[in-house]
Amino acid sequence: MTSTTTSSTTPESAAVAAADRRRWFALAIVMTAAFMDLVDVTIVNIAIPSIQKDTGASFSSIQWITAGYALAFAAGLITGGRLGDIHGRKKLFLIGIGGFTLASALCGFAANPEMLVASRILQGAMAAMMVPQVLSIVHATFPAHERGKVFGLFGAVVGLGAVSGPLLGALLTEWNLFGLEWRPIFLINLPVGIAGLILGIKFISESKAPKALKLDLVGMVLVTLGLLMLLYPLTRGRELGWPLWGYLSMAGSVLVFAGLIAYERMKARRDGSPLIELSLFKVKSFAAGIAVQATFGVGLGIFFLVWTLYMQIGLGWSALRAGLTGVPFSIAVSVAAGMSVQKLVPRFGRKVLQAGALTMVAGLLIYIWEADHYGTGIASWQMALPLVVMGLGMGLIVAPLTDAVLSEVPKEHSGSASGLINTVQQMGNALGLGLVSVVFFGSIGDDLVPPQLNQAFVDGFQHSLWYVAGVLAVIFLVMFALPAKPRQHVEGAIDEAELLDLTKSAQPA
């Protein structure tokens, strides 16, 4: 009797066990890709002086090396997410990681600043194909009761990627491998990308939207046009003397976005395949989370670029010293991200995220005081306190926020939702990078020479941090619109639909 029971349950148990192995391998692969993207955003900042010296790039070109990536990334993310829903998330992930690896090679072998900017734009476009699939694959592969744990891991990876990028960039730049100067910061992606491509083919299971969808080409054009009309003038405005066409373009982007919303509503009624699923914004947690993501992106976009320029140009530190200075921040983010999802959010809900915003503000205020008090003589160890406080605050936000935004989103729209989450954060990031020319370079004279320039960079850093603190205060207020408590996922609970999903995902793609 016992043997009969065992034999009848063995195939089902084996299927679930196989699915469990595959999805954890798949998670490791997509997390590595997300880490590679995050590192690539921040790794460039630390190598800016080396790139400038080696290629003769102007400050305008330097801004485009960072902002060009963010622009292409932001413009393509919603489309990338929707393409994954239509054609398969695994397929789009593999195309994205393959293209990202190729673009990294082009960046590494760029002969001049113009080629580097073009390669970075291509890299951003390929990241827009790859990154939305990461959250979509997680959302479609893992049952609800495990997603909190998975998003906790994702938050830790975000924190680690955000600041290990500068450290890795510093080491690769300082070592000057094979006399290649800054180029290994891009070439290091090649072995990682190739391994991700090969392992992804083997372990990631394919998933699509359950009903057939069509690509909304008009929506794709309107989204891209609106973002470029808004972000391009912001990024180049100061360099060109804030021409009239720039203001007209930014004002025109509002009309384009209004037209996009009207068209998407009509498209949803007509064939149910809009690029942006506007019904998602009826989900309160999604709408509020999106607003927080966008605002958070602005603050991070300003902080990370200004922080790098402050340490390397204002204080005259080497890339390695600047990179090592960021290690306490990285550790604090990772520790707080794990704690927030596993221990704090289930008990205290959105108060944890709000505490994170206030903690980051406290860290910024300490940093402003220290930068003023110690001036250009500030030491790395003196920065540890504000960086740890800021890192703890950021960790309390990044991990639970993703889960809060996606927790009530239907599976069939997970690609579109994931694309929107990443788009608004990157749009915020690109806005922040564009605003650097206003809040940072705008406070620095063009005719200064060292040591006047050094002090001007220190003053500009403090000036910029006040803006970042203001952004975080806004985030604190917007968070009141998030659900007071997250939807509880009971550990170990699994319904019939999820068991069926697991069994299916055990089958070869």
Side-chain angles (χ1 to χ4, degrees):
M1 187 169 148
T2 307
S3 60
T4 307
T5 306
T6 306
S7 62
S8 65
T9 57
T10 298
E12 200 174 84
S13 303
V16 174
D20 192 64
R21 282 195 300 274
R22 283 179 65 85
R23 64 203 171 99
W24 287 104
F25 274 123
L27 178 67
I29 295 160
V30 296
M31 289 287 195
T32 302
F35 181 78
M36 184 167 68
D37 162 62
L38 285 161
V39 164
D40 225 69
V41 173
T42 55
I43 202 170
V44 175
N45 288 348
I46 209 79
I48 280 173
S50 178
I51 294 171
Q52 202 172 15
K53 182 181 173 185
D54 186 48
T55 65
S58 63
F59 270 121
S60 167
S61 295
I62 289 299
Q63 229 182 328
W64 269 104
I65 289 166
T66 53
Y69 181 97
L71 274 169
F73 196 13
L77 274 165
I78 296 176
T79 303
R82 187 48 104 195
L83 284 170
D85 287 339
I86 297 169
H87 298 293
R89 289 143 192 162
K90 174 180 178 177
K91 185 183 292 183
L92 262 290
F93 176 81
L94 295 175
I95 291 170
I97 198 170
F100 188 88
T101 306
L102 174 63
S104 297
L106 293 173
C107 288
F109 294 114
N112 51 51
E114 291 74 24
M115 182 178 172
L116 181 55
V117 169
S119 302
R120 282 285 284 170
I121 291 170
L122 175 63
Q123 197 180 34
M126 290 297 103
M129 297 294 107
M130 174 178 74
V131 172
Q133 317 316 324
V134 174
L135 292 180
S136 296
I137 288 167
V138 168
H139 196 66
T141 306
F142 283 85
H145 70 278
E146 286 187 335
R147 279 184 219 136
K149 186 190 300 179
V150 172
F151 284 129
L153 286 169
F154 184 74
V157 167
V158 167
L160 199 60
V163 189
S164 59
L167 179 58
L168 187 59
L171 290 170
L172 292 172
T173 305
E174 290 281 321
W175 288 337
N176 190 17
L177 299 172
F178 310 109
L180 291 172
E181 304 260 341
W182 50 272
R183 297 176 189 276
I185 69 172
F186 296 111
L187 299 177
I188 195 172
N189 289 337
L190 272 58
V192 179
I194 291 166
L197 192 61
I198 294 167
L199 294 172
I201 292 169
K202 181 173 174 61
F203 288 109
I204 297 174
S205 298
E206 187 60 281
S207 64
K208 296 181 183 179
K211 64 176 183 178
L213 298 167
K214 297 174 184 174
L215 182 61
D216 176 7
L217 290 172
V218 175
M220 188 175 81
V221 170
L222 288 173
V223 145
T224 306
L225 179 64
L227 286 170
L228 290 176
M229 284 174 68
L230 174 65
L231 299 174
Y232 183 79
L234 261 181
T235 308
R236 293 208 67 194
R238 178 182 173 275
E239 173 199 352
L240 299 174
W242 298 107
L244 177 62
W245 65 260
Y247 291 105
L248 293 174
S249 176
M250 287 188 280
S253 70
V254 177
L255 297 177
V256 172
F257 286 129
L260 171 69
I261 292 168
Y263 179 80
E264 293 299 284
R265 280 181 179 151
M266 183 266 291
K267 178 81 171 162
R269 286 194 303 270
R270 195 171 65 196
D271 60 15
S273 293
L275 181 67
I276 299 171
E277 195 60 50
L278 295 176
S279 63
L280 290 172
F281 290 93
K282 294 176 182 175
V283 180
K284 187 181 176 185
S285 59
F286 181 82
I290 283 286
V292 173
Q293 287 275 24
T295 320
F296 199 43
V298 172
L300 296 183
I302 294 172
F303 177 76
F304 282 116
L305 180 56
V306 169
W307 183 38
T308 302
L309 294 169
Y310 161 66
M311 288 189 291
Q312 291 197 66
I313 300 177
L315 302 178
W317 290 0
S318 68
L320 183 59
R321 183 176 177 183
L324 288 169
T325 301
V327 170
F329 183 96
S330 181
I331 294 170
V333 172
S334 299
V335 169
M339 282 179 57
S340 64
V341 171
Q342 296 294 321
K343 307 283 185 188
L344 301 176
V345 171
R347 187 173 176 188
F348 300 108
R350 72 173 177 224
K351 290 177 183 175
V352 176
L353 286 85
Q354 290 181 301
L358 293 179
T359 304
M360 285 192 77
V361 171
L364 286 164
L365 294 176
I366 296 169
Y367 218 153
I368 291 167
W369 179 85
E370 286 194 351
D372 180 58
H373 184 73
Y374 297 109
T376 54
I378 193 170
S380 294
W381 68 267
Q382 288 166 327
M383 292 187 188
L385 175 61
L387 287 173
V388 166
V389 174
M390 281 185 67
L392 290 172
M394 183 173 168
L396 292 177
I397 297 171
V398 289
L401 182 58
T402 307
D403 194 20
V405 178
L406 279 180
S407 63
E408 297 172 3
V409 170
K411 274 191 180 182
E412 64 268 25
H413 298 311
S414 60
S416 181
S418 177
L420 273 169
I421 291 169
N422 285 288
T423 295
V424 296
Q425 186 166 9
Q426 287 304 316
M427 188 173 80
N429 192 35
L431 271 168
L433 288 167
L435 289 169
V436 164
S437 63
V438 181
V439 304
F440 183 69
F441 289 118
S443 64
I444 297 170
D446 294 326
D447 54 350
L448 297 177
V449 293
Q452 290 176 312
L453 186 64
N454 296 33
Q455 186 58 49
F457 268 63
V458 174
D459 294 340
F461 175 66
Q462 294 173 67
H463 183 70
S464 301
L465 292 197
W466 282 111
Y467 281 92
V468 180
V471 165
L472 285 158
V474 171
I475 287 171
F476 171 80
L477 296 174
V478 175
M479 282 176 177
F480 277 108
L482 291 172
K485 284 274 188 177
R487 197 168 65 174
Q488 294 299 309
H489 303 316
V490 181
E491 195 67 39
I494 182 166
D495 61 28
E496 290 178 16
E498 286 173 351
L499 179 61
L500 183 63
D501 287 343
L502 287 176
T503 308
K504 282 181 180 174
S505 65
Q507 308 306 317

